[in-house]
């Protein structure tokens, strides 16, 4: 459980930065205001991080435990990374489809968040296993 919480703490700002970068590439630079200390990108990353943490806690932890149960009970030792990647992808599609309209941008935003969390958790588990 410690690894899951650490992965959430690391994944929220990382995925927020990736989503902000995606938004910058897709929509371009936003309009600047006259306020000197205003940075729209850092503010967006901060706000996204704050809003993502409850999603990770409420949806991410049960999803992780369910996927771990599937892997453990299925006794799947061959290609566990690929199976977990597919299961996390399916969970991202299900959540984004139920929460938003079915569009590629919603899937992509949730996919970035889910796969950032998955990869951080995967590498934390590999590092802490040794």
């Amino acid at each position: 459980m410690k690894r899951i919480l650490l992965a959430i703490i690391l994944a929220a700002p990382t995925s927020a930065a990736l989503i902000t970068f995606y938004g910058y590439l897709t929509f371009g630079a936003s309009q600047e205001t006259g306020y000197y200390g205003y940075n729209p990108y850092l503010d967006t990353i901060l706000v996204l991080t704050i809003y993502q943490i409850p999603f990770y806690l409420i949806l991410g932890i049960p999803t992780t435990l369910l996927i771990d149960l599937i892997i453990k009970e299925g006794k799947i030792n061959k290609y566990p990374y690929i199976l977990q990647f597919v299961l996390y992808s399916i969970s991202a599609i299900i959540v984004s489809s139920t929460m938003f309209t079915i569009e590629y941008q919603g899937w992509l935003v949730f996919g970035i968040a889910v796969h950032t969390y998955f990869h951080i958790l995967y590498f934390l588990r590999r590092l802490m296993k040794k």
Side-chain angles (χ1 to χ4, degrees):
M1 190 62 140
K2 291 178 186 177
R3 292 181 205 143
I4 293 172
L5 292 175
L6 181 59
I8 289 171
I9 291 169
L10 295 173
T14 305
S15 65
L18 291 171
I19 291 168
T20 303
F21 182 67
Y22 163 72
Y24 174 75
L25 291 178
T26 305
F27 303 111
S30 64
Q31 193 75 345
E32 290 290 330
T33 63
Y35 179 59
Y36 177 71
Y38 178 69
N39 187 337
Y41 304 110
L42 290 178
D43 292 344
T44 303
I45 291 170
L46 179 64
V47 169
L48 280 176
T49 299
I50 291 169
Y51 281 110
Q52 282 182 347
I53 289 176
F55 275 96
Y56 281 127
L57 292 174
I58 295 169
L59 296 174
I61 291 175
T63 302
T64 300
L65 296 176
L66 180 65
I67 290 173
D68 289 346
L69 182 69
I70 290 170
I71 299 291
K72 183 179 174 184
E73 292 297 320
K75 295 181 174 82
I76 302 169
N77 296 328
K78 200 171 191 181
Y79 309 114
Y81 172 81
I82 294 172
L83 180 62
Q84 289 177 2
F85 187 86
V86 169
L87 290 173
Y88 277 101
S89 298
I90 291 169
S91 70
I93 291 170
I94 290 170
V95 170
S96 66
S97 297
T98 57
M99 300 191 90
F100 298 101
T101 59
I102 299 176
E103 293 179 0
Y104 79 94
Q105 289 177 342
W107 289 343
L108 190 61
V109 167
F110 269 91
I112 290 170
V114 167
H115 288 293
T116 302
Y117 167 72
F118 161 64
H119 282 95
I120 288 174
L121 179 64
Y122 183 79
F123 289 119
L124 281 175
R125 286 179 173 169
R126 300 249 337 179
L127 286 174
M128 291 183 177
K129 183 191 267 188
K130 294 178 180 180

